[in-house]
Amino acid sequence: MNSRRKFLTQAGALAAGTIGTPALPASEKTTDLCAPETVSLCGQWWFRTDSGNIGEEQCWYGTDDSNSAWRRVSVPHTWQVDPAFVDYRGAAWYRRIFEAPSEWQNSAVRIEFEAVFHTATIWVNGELAGEHVRKGYTAFMLDITHLLRWGRPNAIAVRVDNAFNEHMVPRGHSSDWAHDGGIYRPVQLIITASAFVERVDVEAFPDFACGDGKLAITAYLRNTSAKSWIGRASFRIIDDETGLTAVTGSAIPGFTIKSGGTQTQKLEVTLPNAKFWHFDHPNLYRLIFSIAGGQDTHQLTVTFGVRKLEAKGSGFYLNGERIRLMGVERMAGSNPEFGMAEPSQWITHDHNDLKHLNCVFTRVHWPQDKRVLEYCDRHGILMQTEIPAWGYDTFAGMGAEPDPDILQNALEQLREMIARDRNHPSVVVWGLCNEVGGQNPPAYQFVKHMLEEAKRLDPNRLCSYASNSLIKTPERDAAGLMDFIETNEYFGTWFPGAPEAVAKHLDDLHAAFPGKPVVISEYGYCACTKDRPEGDEHRLEDLRSHDAVFRSKDFVAGAIFFCYSDYRSHVGYSGVGALKQNVHGVVDLCGAQKASYEVLRRELSPVESLTVDNHLNTFQLRLRTRHDAPMYSLRGYKLRGTFYGEGDIPIEQHEVELPEIAAGNETTVELIFSQFDVPLHVKFDIFRPTGFSAYSRNWKP
């Protein structure tokens, strides 16, 4: 069985196992009453479409258990990969039953949807619980305590609408990706004490002078009970790798939260001898913030890292070191088996691939599944996550200012994205929009408003927007407002021009913005028009020739290749149904690699060369790192050699730790094999501290 088929078999078995299982197994539930109990609502739901928009009128949200017109689906779910509904845009409904044990009666019970595309209205036991309107990529939570029937089955109904809409971003048909309708990310109940820690924000920066971490902690507390709550707060910070406590704090003055009220606690904390977070050393900490008053206790755990990415002059600096970054973007939802309802295994599969491709810097077009960000936190990928405003049509027909509904919707999505994702150390840039025509007055003002709000909410994180309107009069573009300049560079594809045109474009940007780094936010070859048929040789040539130009410009601080995979899109120049797609990647929709895959891996590697000299199976190996891009020091890397003998059998392996190697430098190491015979070949791999190979060479005598 090939790996692709094996994966799908495993994923299908897991999905099948969730049918009829409304909650997590008891062994997976949190039993500590101090911590929130989480009950999964993933698994079996009932589903039906509502093309006539009659569901509300006919009370489909009611508690009638008749399911004759409904079909079983497994949430997370999107109907856009079902052949029966692949082209359906509009309203659809989901229903299921869950238990509310009587032990929860004095608790606060909330339901969290990690994302529903794009509008959700929720009823519990036939009563309206709330809605989340025209915001398809951000999480939302509703308090449903007052609607529950204790010790009895409870019914939940969700009306979803994914029709193209002119009053949101992405606006109408302006964007170019899969608009998959459904409850496409996980859903869970969160059961806590009636007074609880709602959210904790952690700002964590290195103090380079002493090596400590400087933390600003903001805890948001809420009291849902009918009387005032009096208590105290405490916290503990744990090194995630060792499990050891690094800092504790309990001398926080007592406080009162009025009935139905909120309270904010702000603390400044020093984390001594902090382990800084880096894409090669993704060191994490856990903050446990607790409140206690009488019999009521609650704690919330958040994960964070101590790191700082700065834009200074024309360069990026990570934890004080000048770096030049390279990577590749992944468009989620591209696999036609899953669409946007991606299982954890496929998210891990794709991001393992990104790491194998040496991706240390990526960008995405919309707020991501938290499982994506958690992967990037733990395995080391710097991320620009973005509000889904794409295209010139976003501002079509507007005057000097953006329409209020569009601006308000984008600001709401920005606020929700920052609130949920700000603790992730992998998230280093807030992306404000993409290809909106930044010299057009309403687009310019939109970008300005978005930047002001992002800086108000999170003043220390970098902000930018991916522009494709910088070829002429770049100084007039809203890109100039940003912390660094991003350009989507498609010379030779969407724009005419050879690599010389790329060089001139970059020089023009540097002349217009001499004090800012330039990042290539997209580049690559798209087989998206009849005059550009698919041919991976074009992608290979584009990749090599454009990278050479980027490397020659010291002010280019980063470059992100577009795209990892061919991607599903409602625009789709190729394919039909769930296979409607744009052919743009180094792998296809199902993960099969093209020839450009290995070339991209080599182009993104920090290793420039590995020279091999063999004398009687004693190997002298000279490793040289790149001096241009990607550019960063190698710390904690290892070199492994595997000796293959007759029959292509691996018979001996040795590994050596490499010294720290600065960018543009080299080191020599020795590997000695005990074999007397000449090897068939020897495979040499250079491994990152995270365990991913950064460079491979297969040496033959």
Side-chain angles (χ1 to χ4, degrees), residues 122-328:
I122 298 93
W123 291 263
V124 174
N125 295 325
E127 299 292 330
L128 181 65
E131 60 182 355
H132 192 245
V133 179
R134 298 188 295 276
K135 293 173 286 189
Y137 302 100
T138 49
F140 63 98
M141 193 177 300
L142 302 171
D143 189 329
I144 60 172
T145 313
H146 61 294
L147 300 175
L148 295 179
R149 299 168 179 170
W150 309 112
R152 297 164 55 192
N154 290 261
I156 182 169
V158 183
R159 181 187 185 274
V160 178
D161 189 348
N162 79 326
F164 292 106
N165 192 292
E166 294 293 325
H167 304 285
M168 61 177 282
V169 294
R171 185 186 182 198
H173 293 73
S174 65
S175 63
D176 183 11
W177 61 72
H179 284 220
D180 286 355
I183 305 175
Y184 70 96
R185 290 181 187 164
V187 190
Q188 49 268 330
L189 295 175
I190 299 173
I191 303 93
T192 67
S194 57
F196 55 88
V197 185
E198 189 170 34
R199 190 177 106 216
V200 179
D201 297 341
V202 183
E203 300 234 19
F205 296 112
D207 186 331
F208 299 126
C210 63
D212 295 340
K214 297 299 183 183
L215 277 54
I217 300 170
T218 305
Y220 300 87
L221 317 176
R222 183 174 294 275
N223 176 18
T224 62
S225 71
K227 58 183 180 178
S228 293
W229 186 92
I230 301 172
R232 304 182 68 87
S234 61
F235 70 88
R236 184 158 56 107
I237 296 175
I238 298 171
D239 183 323
D240 195 65
E241 180 184 24
T242 65
L244 299 177
T245 298
V247 179
T248 59
S250 57
I252 302 172
F255 54 89
T256 299
I257 313 176
K258 294 180 179 180
S259 172
T262 60
Q263 175 80 248
T264 301
Q265 292 284 321
K266 293 189 176 184
L267 308 170
E268 292 187 357
V269 177
T270 296
L271 181 60
N273 302 313
K275 299 176 181 178
F276 298 162
W277 190 97
H278 183 281
F279 51 77
D280 273 339
H281 303 273
N283 300 304
L284 296 172
Y285 291 91
R286 281 177 283 133
L287 168 67
I288 303 173
F289 196 95
S290 304
I291 60 172
Q295 298 297 312
D296 293 330
T297 61
H298 179 237
Q299 67 183 33
L300 183 67
T301 301
V302 297
T303 302
F304 69 94
V306 182
R307 61 97 185 92
K308 189 172 188 179
L309 180 69
E310 301 172 275
K312 297 193 296 186
S314 59
F316 277 160
Y317 292 79
L318 179 60
N319 298 335
E321 178 190 4
R322 171 81 187 276
I323 57 174
R324 297 179 70 187
L325 301 168
M326 295 187 77
V328 57

Side-chain angles (χ1 to χ4, degrees), residues 13 40 44 56 68 87 153 179 182 243 254 294 399 484 521 542 551 584 592 611 649 651 687:
S40 173
Q44 178 183 309
E56 285 194 69
S68 59
D87 293 319
H179 284 220
F484 60 95
S521 38
D542 192 275
R551 291 187 170 112
H584 225 305
T611 305
I649 297 171
I651 56 177
F687 287 98

Side-chain angles (χ1 to χ4, degrees), residues 48 428 442 477 530 581 634:
R48 67 186 295 186
V428 291
D477 199 279
K530 290 182 179 180
Q581 64 185 280
L634 275 58

Side-chain angles (χ1 to χ4, degrees), residues 323-326 547 550-553 556-559 602-606 626-632:
I323 57 174
R324 297 179 70 187
L325 301 168
M326 295 187 77
D547 281 357
F550 306 155
R551 291 187 170 112
S552 71
K553 309 294 181 182
V556 173
R602 185 64 61 91
E603 287 289 308
L604 302 187
S605 175
R626 293 190 189 274
H627 68 284
D628 37 42
M631 181 186 80
Y632 47 88

Side-chain angles (χ1 to χ4, degrees), residues 620-678:
Q620 298 290 327
L621 303 158
R622 187 169 72 253
L623 182 156
R624 183 166 186 82
T625 60
R626 293 190 189 274
H627 68 284
D628 37 42
M631 181 186 80
Y632 47 88
S633 297
L634 275 58
R635 300 183 182 93
Y637 281 59
K638 296 179 180 180
L639 187 148
R640 177 188 298 166
T642 306
F643 188 109
Y644 287 79
E646 186 177 351
D648 203 20
I649 297 171
I651 56 177
E652 190 172 353
Q653 187 176 85
H654 293 288
E655 190 173 270
V656 61
E657 293 186 2
L658 296 172
E660 181 175 329
I661 314 170
N665 285 12
E666 63 180 43
T667 191
T668 301
V669 296
E670 183 176 80
L671 284 183
I672 302 174
F673 293 95
S674 63
Q675 307 301 309
F676 293 105
D677 296 333
V678 176

Side-chain angles (χ1 to χ4, degrees), residues 20-47:
T21 309
L24 289 172
S27 62
E28 293 184 38
K29 291 183 183 179
T30 303
T31 56
D32 182 357
L33 294 178
C34 183
E37 181 176 4
T38 302
V39 175
S40 173
L41 291 185
C42 296
Q44 178 183 309
W45 288 63
W46 295 98
F47 169 80

